[in-house]
Amino acid sequence: MLNNSCSAYPAGQHWVLAVDPEVLAVDPEACINEEASAEEEKAPIAIHFVVDNSGSMGSMTREVMYIFADMVDSVATAPCSMTVFAGNAQTLDANITSAKQMRELQLPAQGMTNIPAGVENAIKIITEKETRRLEDGATIPRTHHVLILLSDGHHNTGPAPDKVFPTFKTKIPEDTMLSTIVVGLSEQSSTSMGMLLKKSIETVSFQTETVQTIYFAKNNSALRTILGNLETGLNSAVQGTFHEITTPFPAIIQDFASMPKETVRVHAQSDTTCIPLLCRFAAVPKSIRVNGQEISVTEKEEIPFELLTTVLQGLIDKTKVKIVAAKNRKEVIAKSVKHLDILYNLVKTHEESDLDLNIKSLSAKERVKQYRQIRALTHKAAELKNQIVDIANFSSNDSEGQAAFLNGRSMKFANKALRRAAVRADGVVDPKAEQKAIYKYLTSESFREKLKTAMALDIIFNVKNLKDTDVRRTVFPRVVVQRHKDQIGEIRKKASILDEMDTDPTGLDALGLSPGALDLIHSGQLADYLNDGVHGRAQSFVSMATPWQHAEEWLHFGEQQFQSSWEMLMYGGMLGFPIHLKRFAACQMNPFLLQVEKIRSTLVDSASICCANKAEVPVYGPEAGAPIEDVLVLIDPSLPRTSKLLNSTALLGEKFTSVTISRDMHMYTGFSMRVALHSTSLFHLASTQDEAITTELDVVANLRRAYMGRAFMCGNCKFGPVDHYACGDLMAHHGESRGDTNISNACPKCGWFSGRIDDWLMWDGVVDEDFLRSEFDKINKKPKHHFLSEARIDMMLKLMYSFRKMCKGRESWNQYQEMADAMENADEVPLNFSTKAGVDGMSQVALALMAVLTESKNAVKVFESKEVLMAILKEECARDARSRFRMETGGEKEMARQKAMEFLTELLKIAKETAPETQPFMESEPLIENVRLDCRDDYQIDTDKARQLIPWVRDICRKWCRVWSVAEQLASVLSKRVGGWEQLERDMETGLSNYADVVQELKRTELKTPRDLLVNDEASEGCDLSELQTFFMKLGVEGITFGAAESSLPGYKAEEDDLLSAVAREMRMRIYFQRVAAKMSQWKSEGQTATFSQARVADIVQFVDLIGNKSHVHGLDKQTFWGLWLAAVSTHDQEKAQVFLETCNEGFRFKHGDAWKPRKKGGKS
């Protein structure tokens, strides 16, 4: 009868045997003697130390021996041996039983390095002990031998290790239990030699989780540490057991560089649940032998993920040893990687099937729990893949690199530096300390009280702003109104009192509400009805939770423990719009450089997306496209106080913002980051076109935005939405005929009709399938238009609302107010939107234009003039040009300037021969102003260069003309609407229907083109394409000139002069300056000689002319000065010398005054 059982799991073309825990308890000695005690079941441990005693080791040999001596007492349970090697090997003692005995050993003289000799001595000791055991039978227990080799250099005397090591295995008895540990000291040690030894003699390996494949130290100090780690690892490993497993035929695969084996010995930790082995079976055997005992094998259908990854990790560890030890490394790598990749594909397939991150409708706690499970799976799979990649790319021949390869995991998953410089904190931020501080605040009673009060106030004012009819019909089912009639009345009455107060109450007690009213508010019933009835059923498509429900989760932070700030972000989140960003490294310093590529209107919650991102599981929105990785979280009009409070917390306001912009939690640089997300998103929405609606979910979202809270549904079949807006008497026109059209106020689907509006139910947001399909087809058949969709308008209004609520009362608001004021007064003071004026990004200008200027009484007049728009376009083109040319030159500022001027020179076809020439070599140049006056300014346009320039300028103009159009329409709408922005904010907080008029007016915005806006009114109708292209080209040239080339165009007056002519002249002057520079360079090397030659032959009048009108010769350049003086000295011309010396200083006359005199024959003048 077979004993116990083990399982066989399919793994592609292989099988994985998993021996059950009960089988692991079976030990070879226990099988022989069932009455053996538990202590006798474990094999005794004998350690054989083989230590380098070469000259390079010095005193370290003795220190190592002393450290190893501790292992005799702490690890070994059988007599140990100590062998040292230099030119020859010497066994100091083969029967060491205590640390004291080992420390008393005397070391011989040091010498060269003969590693095989030392290993051979140790193997002789092991062989003698095993031979004696076999001869004496059961009287001597089977010993587990551990050979530890330590060396600090290459073998340099005696037979080569690669010749000797492979022969050692034949000298060891077949059933010997021998583990090998290699310790390398310094880069001179040979890791590959150590792995060859391990491959040649090791019969049983420790698990790499406890004992490393190799221990490597760069210096003596590091060696002391790693030997301590080795002792700790061995102490843990010897608590486990070793087992011999045999299959009916050679089938066990330990690495893909060797043939399958029939018998293997494996090490199992004390807490091991099973021993996994990869096998190659044509058919799974009915039984195998474990420790000599036959056990049955049971086939299973699917392999567990953890078992598969454990097998693959073991194969990787064994394969690494083979690769480092192999001579034919490339062949071993190629063969191994092929098979490892096949197994990894199984892991990946298994991982994907297990990665069912079902974050829909999950609570905050469940989100964190699922993330932890998913993280374990994805991390392990990625780690395995990166190790296989490391194997495929391995080529290191140095000991340190090989040791890192053997012991390491993928660098991709190395721990990130936990400390980052933080300018805001004037020092270094400790993430753990930050996490504790955030957690402490979020779990404090003061925060909970603030949040509860804010949530209550939001509901109170929502209820207060409802009409009586809305309370009865629009929002609350009648049964709820009747049941809570008193509480709702109390809430509305209290809201009227609170509305007259200057500031909001700071606590729940200050609200003065009865416990019943507070219970009704905090139950969430009112919030749900308000969300469904007036706020368009806002909820995350992932968590399916409403804004109120997400806010409630923040009240329960104290009920959960968090391992990181990331987990806190997964727990507490808010609703926002999915956003796709394009980041640059410079965004960390200037967040306004961020580019928004897409914003979706379907709401999602930040907590779920954080969870999915960290678990590396993609989440796709209803609109399809790229997976959602970022969320634009705003202050929500439906819960203004609550969302403002949560957005101001360090967790959401700082950490989440930092992650969104920098992909790093610790890069938050200040409030400007939050503003940047608003400004760049608003600019994107206003400057780009709507994509065609492609999904039915988009249609539903648009219908809800348009009709939620104002439309009805059939009292019979519940068809909706039916638009009876502002129609109280449905009988008035029902059945009338107007032309070819018959008016019907009946249900379009079933024909049900009632003339009383009260008989119609308020639409619940559910769209009939047939109606949805017809609307979907109708919308997608429409031609593309240049008008805004309701979804886009709603997002823009909410962005501006959020910005205003976030910034009002802060210092940052003043910057945008100043920009808006400057736009109003553009006819008095020149506009300056440059970085020097504090404008970090042009999206800030868009924010000031749309969210601040539009509330001014004079806003409409600003939009009547194009002066502000032109100033914006010029600055945008200058910035864009600067960025483009610097990107081409790798960020080099001066190279970018030169590149820009070269482009302008080629664009205007400026030939070198048309530029001013320099004066002859010995003549000085005229004044630059005179040269510039005489310089030509004609030009011709290079069409190829113009084609490169015009498109990017046109794109800038199109975007800003759209932004201008939206801002202009918004200013017009607000100027006619009572209360302006403040009233619009209140209406947005009350519900969709209360600002539907603004949405409808903005839908009528005519998104004007550059042709509409940038050409004067008289010429607009007759404006042809060439005229518009000329405008773009001039705007681009101006941007390159002032932005990238950083030229000031001396003498240029924009109102009077032609820009292209001025640039053409300046490009010719650039060529002239290059010629002057070449002349000056030549003058530096040849000027003195030329002046000397000219002055030498000149008469006194000509000599004086060469000095010129200088009152002092020290005002001459160096070349002229010494050329004139040396000419006078060399000719011994007293007259020339006196003329020169007359204008020299006293020092020169004293030192050189007699140099011109001819020398007498004795050497004296």
Side-chain angles (χ1 to χ4, degrees):
M1 181 177 178
L2 297 184
N3 200 11
N4 299 307
S5 67
C6 86
S7 302
Y9 297 92
Q13 299 174 349
H14 302 86
W15 290 82
V16 174
L17 286 181
V19 183
D20 290 339
E22 290 80 5
V23 178
L24 296 186
V26 182
D27 189 84
E29 300 302 321
C31 290
I32 297 170
N33 183 8
E34 293 182 3
E35 296 179 358
S37 66
E39 291 183 359
E40 292 174 334
E41 287 180 1
K42 288 188 177 179
I45 307 294
I47 306 177
H48 306 278
F49 303 101
V50 181
V51 180
D52 190 342
N53 191 37
S54 61
S56 58
M57 285 287 290
S59 62
M60 203 61 198
T61 304
R62 178 161 295 280
E63 185 171 349
V64 166
M65 185 173 73
Y66 272 50
I67 295 173
F68 279 159
D70 291 335
M71 296 187 192
V72 176
D73 284 347
S74 64
V75 179
T77 55
C80 304
S81 69
M82 175 69 180
T83 301
V84 295
F85 59 88
N88 294 301
Q90 183 177 342
T91 298
L92 304 182
D93 197 331
N95 194 33
I96 302 172
T97 57
S98 70
K100 180 176 181 296
Q101 180 183 348
M102 187 162 167
R103 291 194 183 100
E104 291 174 351
L105 296 175
Q106 298 299 309
L107 293 173
Q110 295 181 322
M112 300 183 74
T113 306
N114 187 348
I115 298 174
V119 175
E120 189 170 18
N121 273 22
I123 287 177
K124 285 179 181 177
I125 295 170
I126 294 169
T127 302
E128 288 173 4
K129 289 178 180 287
E130 286 300 300
T131 302
R132 197 179 311 123
R133 179 183 67 82
L134 292 172
E135 289 174 352
D136 292 353
T139 59
I140 300 177
R142 191 181 188 188
T143 302
H144 177 200
H145 301 279
V146 180
L147 188 152
I148 301 178
L149 169 66
L150 185 150
S151 176
D152 76 337
H154 282 289
H155 169 83
N156 56 28
T157 186
D162 60 340
K163 302 292 184 185
V164 180
F165 284 173
T167 66
F168 285 165
K169 193 157 192 175
T170 59
K171 299 178 181 180
I172 303 171
E174 189 176 345
D175 64 344
T176 301
M177 293 173 62
L178 173 59
S179 300
T180 307
I181 298 172
V182 180
V183 182
L185 172 59
S186 86
E187 295 177 355
Q188 301 304 314
S189 62
S190 175
T191 299
S192 59
M193 180 274 299
M195 292 307 99
L196 177 61
L197 174 65
K198 196 174 181 72
K199 170 188 172 184
S200 301
I201 67 172
E202 189 170 63
T203 62
V204 61
S205 301
F206 290 114
Q207 290 189 6
T208 54
E209 285 80 1
T210 51
V211 178
Q212 292 178 194
T213 305
I214 187 172
Y215 289 84
F216 177 83
K218 293 182 70 172
N219 51 49
N220 294 349
S221 177
L223 180 63
R224 296 182 186 100
T225 301
I226 70 159
L227 290 182
N229 295 340
L230 169 59
E231 183 178 358
T232 302
L234 276 173
N235 264 316
S236 175
V238 297
Q239 301 306 314
T241 51
F242 288 88
H243 305 273
E244 186 174 277
I245 300 176
T246 304
T247 53
F249 49 85
I252 303 172
I253 300 171
Q254 289 195 296
D255 62 78
F256 288 112
S258 308
M259 296 299 292
K261 295 181 179 180
E262 186 174 345
T263 300
V264 295
R265 295 186 182 92
V266 293
H267 173 239
Q269 287 294 106
S270 56
D271 59 349
T272 298
T273 56
C274 73
I275 297 177
L277 292 173
L278 187 72
C279 299
R280 185 178 295 153
F281 295 133
V284 176
K286 293 182 178 180
S287 65
I288 61 172
R289 299 189 71 81
V290 178
N291 300 331
Q293 184 179 6
E294 190 173 7
I295 63 171
S296 62
V297 177
T298 305
E299 286 190 35
K300 302 289 185 180
E301 291 185 2
E302 186 176 358
I303 186 170
F305 180 82
E306 289 185 8
L307 183 62
L308 185 56
T309 56
T310 302
V311 169
L312 184 52
Q313 184 64 67
L315 286 165
I316 288 172
D317 292 337
K318 294 280 187 183
T319 300
K320 286 180 177 180
V321 174
K322 291 286 184 181
I323 289 170
V324 174
K327 285 186 176 180
N328 56 337
R329 187 176 290 169
K330 288 185 178 179
E331 183 181 334
V332 174
I333 288 174
K335 184 177 180 181
S336 300
V337 168
K338 178 183 176 182
H339 290 285
L340 289 172
D341 265 336
I342 293 172
L343 282 178
Y344 171 75
N345 289 334
L346 288 175
V347 171
K348 193 65 181 171
T349 302
H350 208 306
E351 175 210 13
E352 289 170 355
S353 65
D354 286 350
L355 286 184
D356 185 16
L357 183 63
N358 184 21
I359 48 182
K360 282 190 178 293
S361 306
L362 283 188
S363 68
K365 286 184 178 180
E366 289 169 334
R367 268 197 303 274
V368 174
K369 182 180 177 181
Q370 275 212 26
Y371 158 70
R372 289 175 179 172
Q373 295 171 346
I374 296 294
R375 179 184 60 182
L377 292 174
T378 56
H379 182 88
K380 186 59 183 177
E383 185 183 74
L384 290 169
K385 178 58 179 177
N386 282 283
Q387 288 182 79
I388 295 172
V389 171
D390 287 346
I391 288 174
N393 297 325
F394 178 71
S395 60
S396 177
N397 287 312
D398 67 276
S399 292
E400 185 179 5
Q402 291 174 349
F405 168 70
L406 289 164
N407 292 329
R409 297 291 187 257
S410 169
M411 288 302 294
K412 182 178 178 182
F413 288 90
N415 287 329
K416 196 175 181 181
L418 291 178
R419 297 179 180 270
R420 285 189 178 269
V423 176
R424 287 187 313 117
D426 296 323
V428 175
V429 172
D430 183 346
K432 287 293 182 185
E434 278 194 332
Q435 179 189 333
K436 287 181 181 178
I438 293 171
Y439 183 75
K440 183 179 180 181
Y441 173 69
L442 295 178
T443 55
S444 68
E445 200 55 45
S446 61
F447 170 75
R448 286 168 50 81
E449 183 72 9
K450 283 181 185 177
L451 182 54
K452 285 181 179 179
T453 305
M455 293 169 71
L457 284 169
D458 284 335
I459 297 302
I460 288 170
F461 282 104
N462 256 289
V463 173
K464 180 250 180 187
N465 292 325
L466 292 173
K467 298 174 184 177
D468 291 336
T469 53
D470 291 335
V471 174
R472 290 197 306 272
R473 292 190 301 102
T474 307
V475 182
F476 309 116
R478 292 172 184 171
V479 63
V480 174
V481 175
Q482 291 167 3
R483 187 182 306 162
H484 301 291
K485 183 178 179 180
D486 293 340
Q487 287 86 352
I488 293 174
E490 179 189 353
I491 290 169
R492 300 190 74 189
K493 184 177 179 180
K494 178 58 66 175
S496 300
I497 298 172
L498 294 173
D499 203 21
E500 296 176 2
M501 297 173 62
D502 294 332
T503 58
D504 287 339
T506 56
L508 289 174
D509 292 340
L511 295 178
L513 289 172
S514 66
L518 283 174
D519 289 344
L520 177 61
I521 290 172
H522 290 303
S523 69
Q525 290 184 64
L526 296 183
D528 289 342
Y529 293 134
L530 287 164
N531 186 57
D532 289 350
V534 299
H535 292 296
R537 276 196 169 183
Q539 65 178 31
S540 166
F541 80 88
V542 180
S543 68
M544 307 304 290
T546 65
W548 175 273
Q549 290 164 346
H550 273 287
E552 278 187 319
E553 291 177 344
W554 289 74
L555 293 170
H556 304 288
F557 259 93
E559 300 172 9
Q560 175 77 28
Q561 293 299 314
F562 300 97
Q563 297 174 3
S564 67
S565 296
W566 280 109
E567 289 190 356
M568 294 170 73
L569 282 173
M570 296 172 204
Y571 189 90
M574 283 297 289
L575 263 60
F577 298 112
I579 185 171
H580 298 269
L581 303 173
K582 184 176 182 181
R583 299 171 181 83
F584 305 93
C587 290
Q588 295 177 355
M589 297 300 294
N590 181 4
F592 293 98
L593 296 177
L594 194 71
Q595 289 184 11
V596 177
E597 296 186 324
K598 193 170 290 183
I599 303 178
R600 300 295 191 184
S601 60
T602 305
L603 292 170
V604 68
D605 65 288
S606 61
S608 294
I609 296 304
C610 277
C611 181
N613 285 347
K614 290 301 290 180
E616 298 182 19
V617 177
V619 173
Y620 296 92
E623 301 93 343
I628 299 169
E629 295 181 350
D630 297 293
V631 183
L632 176 63
V633 177
L634 305 175
I635 295 177
D636 186 353
S638 69
L639 293 174
R641 295 163 185 81
T642 304
S643 55
K644 184 176 181 179
L645 174 62
L646 296 180
N647 272 285
S648 67
T649 61
L651 183 64
L652 205 57
E654 297 181 14
K655 295 303 177 187
F656 185 72
T657 300
S658 179
V659 167
T660 303
I661 290 180
S662 307
R663 275 288 176 263
D664 190 300
M665 190 175 284
H666 308 295
M667 295 302 291
Y668 184 74
T669 55
F671 188 72
S672 61
M673 275 190 158
R674 294 173 62 187
V675 178
L677 282 172
H678 283 71
S679 68
T680 51
S681 300
L682 181 63
F683 179 78
H684 169 80
L685 288 169
S687 65
T688 58
Q689 291 186 3
D690 283 306
E691 297 177 4
I693 293 178
T694 54
T695 69
E696 293 182 354
L697 284 170
D698 288 321
V699 178
V700 173
N702 278 335
L703 287 171
R704 285 178 179 170
R705 272 186 289 270
Y707 296 109
M708 204 71 183
R710 57 170 276 191
F712 298 84
M713 63 182 181
C714 175
N716 177 46
C717 69
K718 305 298 186 293
F719 173 89
V722 179
D723 191 13
H724 291 323
Y725 187 69
C727 183
D729 185 5
L730 300 182
M731 287 295 298
H733 304 289
H734 181 62
E736 286 186 6
S737 296
R738 294 184 181 177
D740 297 332
T741 305
N742 291 323
I743 297 174
S744 174
N745 287 329
C747 171
K749 185 173 184 180
C750 71
W752 176 85
F753 173 75
S754 173
R756 293 180 66 254
I757 193 71
D758 285 350
D759 292 337
W760 292 77
L761 303 173
M762 291 306 301
W763 182 46
D764 59 5
V766 178
V767 183
D768 180 79
E769 288 187 9
D770 294 333
F771 177 68
L772 175 61
R773 203 169 297 114
S774 66
E775 285 293 299
F776 176 70
D777 295 338
K778 190 193 306 180
I779 290 173
N780 280 320
K781 285 177 183 177
K782 285 183 179 179
K784 289 184 179 179
H785 55 76
H786 296 287
F787 296 92
L788 295 169
S789 69
E790 288 185 13
R792 185 168 289 239
I793 292 168
D794 194 53
M795 285 191 286
M796 284 194 288
L797 289 174
K798 285 178 178 174
L799 262 165
M800 289 184 278
Y801 170 91
S802 180
F803 164 73
R804 291 172 62 86
K805 286 292 183 182
M806 183 176 70
C807 288
K808 275 277 185 95
R810 300 180 71 115
E811 188 179 342
S812 55
W813 175 262
N814 297 334
Q815 179 186 7
Y816 295 90
Q817 186 64 64
E818 287 168 7
M819 266 193 274
D821 294 341
M823 295 178 200
E824 271 194 77
N825 302 311
D827 54 342
E828 300 174 10
V829 181
L831 286 167
N832 184 0
F833 297 128
S834 67
T835 52
K836 292 180 180 178
V839 182
D840 294 323
M842 291 303 290
S843 64
Q844 290 176 278
V845 179
L847 196 57
L849 187 73
M850 298 179 69
V852 184
L853 178 65
T854 49
E855 72 176 345
S856 169
K857 294 178 180 179
N858 301 319
V860 175
K861 291 182 180 179
V862 174
F863 290 103
E864 290 174 357
S865 168
K866 301 302 179 288
E867 188 175 349
V868 175
L869 178 58
M870 285 304 302
I872 292 171
L873 292 175
K874 288 178 180 179
E875 178 61 28
E876 183 73 277
C877 287
R879 290 179 184 236
D880 197 86
R882 189 182 303 123
S883 175
R884 285 173 182 270
F885 282 99
R886 286 188 182 176
M887 285 179 67
E888 284 185 27
T889 57
E892 292 290 335
K893 183 178 178 181
E894 187 54 37
M895 287 178 62
R897 285 185 69 249
Q898 296 301 324
K899 194 88 172 175
M901 288 189 280
E902 288 171 12
F903 180 88
L904 292 173
T905 302
E906 294 173 11
L907 172 69
L908 301 176
K909 289 189 174 180
I910 306 299
K912 288 186 177 181
E913 54 270 20
T914 64
E917 295 287 350
T918 55
Q919 299 299 312
F921 182 64
M922 290 302 295
E923 296 183 19
S924 61
E925 295 298 312
L927 293 173
I928 291 175
E929 291 81 0
N930 296 335
V931 177
R932 187 173 274 112
L933 283 172
D934 294 335
C935 183
R936 290 172 54 177
D937 63 0
D938 56 304
Y939 62 87
Q940 290 182 321
I941 300 298
D942 184 294
T943 53
D944 290 336
K945 291 293 179 184
R947 288 194 191 100
Q948 294 177 33
L949 175 64
I950 290 172
W952 65 263
V953 178
R954 182 175 57 225
D955 185 55
I956 289 172
C957 291
R958 282 176 175 170
K959 287 182 177 180
W960 274 103
C961 285
R962 290 174 63 88
V963 173
W964 187 266
S965 301
V966 177
E968 182 179 18
Q969 181 72 357
L970 179 59
S972 176
V973 172
L974 292 177
S975 68
K976 300 170 186 176
R977 201 173 191 266
V978 177
W981 255 113
E982 288 188 4
Q983 183 58 47
L984 176 57
E985 288 171 6
R986 285 194 291 270
D987 291 339
M988 291 177 71
E989 292 168 6
T990 308
L992 297 175
S993 61
N994 290 319
Y995 67 99
D997 59 312
V998 177
V999 175
Q1000 292 305 314
E1001 287 295 323
L1002 290 178
K1003 276 183 70 176
R1004 299 189 182 97
T1005 303
E1006 183 184 352
L1007 299 174
K1008 296 176 183 176
T1009 65
R1011 187 186 295 236
D1012 300 328
L1013 283 174
L1014 301 175
V1015 183
N1016 59 56
D1017 296 336
E1018 292 80 12
S1020 60
E1021 292 186 6
C1023 171
D1024 59 13
L1025 187 59
S1026 61
E1027 185 179 350
L1028 196 59
Q1029 288 181 333
T1030 301
F1031 172 83
F1032 291 144
M1033 187 175 65
K1034 287 184 176 181
L1035 195 58
V1037 168
E1038 184 172 354
I1040 295 173
T1041 303
F1042 295 119
E1046 298 182 5
S1047 173
S1048 58
L1049 291 184
Y1052 169 69
K1053 296 179 181 178
E1055 311 82 32
E1056 303 172 9
D1057 300 336
D1058 176 56
L1059 173 72
L1060 297 184
S1061 295
V1063 174
R1065 180 169 55 246
E1066 203 56 34
M1067 293 306 104
R1068 287 188 174 91
M1069 287 300 296
R1070 172 176 170 266
I1071 297 171
Y1072 167 71
F1073 291 142
Q1074 290 172 345
R1075 289 171 176 168
V1076 171
K1079 179 180 176 181
M1080 293 303 297
S1081 177
Q1082 183 185 1
W1083 177 255
K1084 284 182 180 179
S1085 60
E1086 302 175 16
Q1088 183 175 317
T1089 303
T1091 303
F1092 173 82
S1093 301
Q1094 191 175 6
R1096 184 185 176 96
V1097 299
D1099 58 29
I1100 189 61
V1101 176
Q1102 292 170 327
F1103 188 84
V1104 172
D1105 288 341
L1106 289 173
I1107 293 176
N1109 58 359
K1110 298 287 184 182
S1111 60
H1112 211 290
V1113 288
H1114 292 289
L1116 297 170
D1117 62 65
K1118 178 182 176 181
Q1119 290 79 9
T1120 304
F1121 180 94
W1122 286 107
L1124 291 171
W1125 173 245
L1126 292 174
V1129 169
S1130 65
T1131 57
H1132 309 293
D1133 191 322
Q1134 180 180 1
E1135 193 174 10
K1136 289 181 180 179
Q1138 286 177 342
V1139 168
F1140 191 90
L1141 290 170
E1142 283 175 0
T1143 59
C1144 285
N1145 59 35
E1146 287 292 336
F1148 186 86
R1149 281 200 294 270
F1150 178 79
K1151 186 175 182 180
H1152 301 285
D1154 294 335
W1156 63 272
K1157 295 179 181 180
R1159 293 184 178 275
K1160 296 179 181 179
K1161 288 181 177 180
K1164 296 181 179 180
S1165 59

